[in-house]
Amino acid sequence: MENHNTHFDDRFIEEVKNANDIVEIISKYVDLKRAGDSYKGLCPFHNEKTPSFMVSENKQIFKCFGCGEGGNVITFLMKKENISFFEAIKLLCENARIELPVNNISSEENLKNYEKKQRMYDLHIELARYYFDNMQKNIENSMDYLKNRGIDEKTVRKFGLGYEVRKSSAIEYLYNHGYTKQELLDSMIFRQKNDELYSIFFSRVMYPIFDYRNRVVAFGGRITGSGEPKYLNSPESIIFKKKEQLYGLNLVRKYNAKRIILVEGYMDVIRLNQKGIVGAVASLGTSLTKEQSEIIKKQNKKVYICYDSDKAGRVATVRAIDILQSVGVKPYIISLEGYKDPDEFFNKNKTSDFMVKIENAISPLSFLIDNIKSEYNINIYSQKLEFIDKASELIKSSNDAIEMEYQTKRLAEITNMSVKSIGVKVYGQYFSPKQFQLNQKSDEKIVKKVFPHIENSDTQTNEKKLIDIISKKPDCIRYIMDILNMDDITDDSFREHYSKFLGSNGADLEPKNEEYKILRKLALFTKIDILQKKLKKLEQSQNMDVEEISFMMEEKIKIIKLISNLKEDIKGLI
Ligand SMILES: [Zn+2]
C-alpha cells in the first residue's frame, strides 16, 4: 500500500491532531461515559456487552482492552470508516476548518504559521503565570475587589486569576523569557507608542481565557478602581477568534457537565462554578454567534439560557433563542426574576435554590410569550386583546402539537379567558376543548360492548380492568407486551399470567380492531398511572444534596417525557 504519510509534514499532522479532539470524534460513533480521567464505551471494533473501550482525553488516544485495537484520532477514523490516511486527514481538516495544504504538501508558510501559533500559546501561558504571581504579591489590592464579588482563594486558583499593575511590567518579563518584540505585538496585548511598548491591561484583575482544550488564548481584565472600560478583552489574534470562543467550555468538558448554561459574562461562569454548578459558559464581549451555537450543539447536552433579567438581557435571550434554534438546539430559559443576574441571586440564595430555577426553566415559546406580555398591561381590556392576538400568532407558528396544546391552556390561564376562546384563536373556529381530553370516560361504553363480562368498570383502576379482561381472554396479552414491562405490574397473579406469554411472538395479531385499541389504551393508561406514582414519590423525597437533586431532576424530566409520549400514543388510538 502506498504510504500517504509522506505527503504531509509531521508538524502538519500534529496540527491536525491538535485541532481535533479524539473524545469529540469518537463520540460520534460510540456512547462514551466519563470514567476517572478517561472515557469508556462499547468497543466499535468487536462485539461486547460490557465496555472495555477506553479513550484518553489527556493523551488523545484510544485503546480496547478486549480486542487490542488502539491508536490516535487518525487511525480511529481509518479503521472505523475504512478509509485511507489521506482521507482521514481530509475529514479531520474539514471538521476543524483547517485548510488542506496545496498538493498535499505542507507549504513553508503553513509550517511557519504552525510554529507561530505554538509560540503564541506558550507566550499566553507565561503571561498567565506572571499575572497569577502578581496577584499573590498584590493580594491586598486585588483581593479586596474579589472579596466584594464573593470570589474565594480556591476559585482564584481554579480559574488562574491574576493581576496586572502597570503598563510596562510584563514586557521585561516576557523579554527575559525569550519572546521578541514582534511576538509581543502579535499577541495584541501590547502596543507601540514612540518606539516604546505598553500593555493594554493595567490596574486590572486578569482572567485567562481558556479554549476548550484548556489552552490560554486570551485575557479579560476587570478594572479594580474607577475607570473605563470596566471590562476589557484581548483583541483577536492568530489564536483568539472571539466568535468561536466560549468561556468555561473547558470546564464543561473537564467535569462532563450534564447541561450547558449560557450566561452573560465570565463573572457569572465563575460564580456558578464556585457554587458547585458546572456547565456555565459565556460568549466574550459579543452576543451569541452562529459559530458558538454550533460548538454548543456539538457538546450534545441540554442547553439553558440564564441571561440578566433586565430589558437588555431579555433582548439578548430572544436573540440567543433564535440563533440556537437555527442550528437545531432547543434551549430552556432560566428566569431569575427579582434578581439582576446570577451574581445577585447568589448573594441571597443557595445552590439548591438555583437547582430549583433550573428545574423550572421554561420553553422558548413560554419565554417569548412572557416577553410580549411584559409590554402590555393586561388589566386593560384593549391591551389584553392585543396581547392575546400576538401570543396566539406565536403559538400557531409552533409545529409541536403538545407545545401548542400546553401554550393554549397556559395563555387561557394567564389572561383569565376560557380554553375554548383561546383555542379558537389558535386552531380556528371549529376548535373544541374536547380535542384536548383523553376521553377516558367515553370509552367505558365501548369497553362494555367489546368485553361484556367485565364488571363495574367505572370504578376500577386501569390495571384491574386489564387483569379482568386478560384473565378471561389470556391471548390478549400479546397486544400490550410492548407497552408494559414485567416490572411495571404490581399484581402478582397478573404478572404470572403475563410472564407465560413473554417470548411468544405476536406475528398473528390482527391489529386495528376494537379489542386491540381498547387493550392498548388501557395498557397505556396503566403505564401512565405507574409513572405518575413514581413521579410523586420523587417529588416527596427530602433532605437531598445537590447531586441527588440534580439526579432526581434528570429522572423527573425523563418520566415527564415518557408520559407525554404515551399520551401522544393514546391520541393516535382515538
Ligand atoms: Zn475491542
Side-chain angles (χ1 to χ4, degrees), residues 43 46 64 67:
C43 178
H46 84 280
C64 174
C67 67

Side-chain angles (χ1 to χ4, degrees), residues 43-46 48 52-53 64-69:
C43 178
F45 301 113
H46 84 280
E48 62 175 6
S52 46
F53 180 81
C64 174
F65 294 98
C67 67
E69 281 290 1

Side-chain angles (χ1 to χ4, degrees), residues 129-153:
R129 224 171 263 152
Y130 170 80
Y131 292 145
F132 182 79
D133 289 344
N134 246 346
M135 162 85 87
Q136 306 302 315
K137 280 183 219 153
N138 293 278
I139 202 83
E140 62 283 352
N141 283 340
S142 40
M143 215 47 210
D144 251 9
Y145 162 76
L146 293 174
K147 267 194 196 129
N148 283 339
R149 302 299 301 260
I151 296 176
D152 59 29
E153 194 72 47

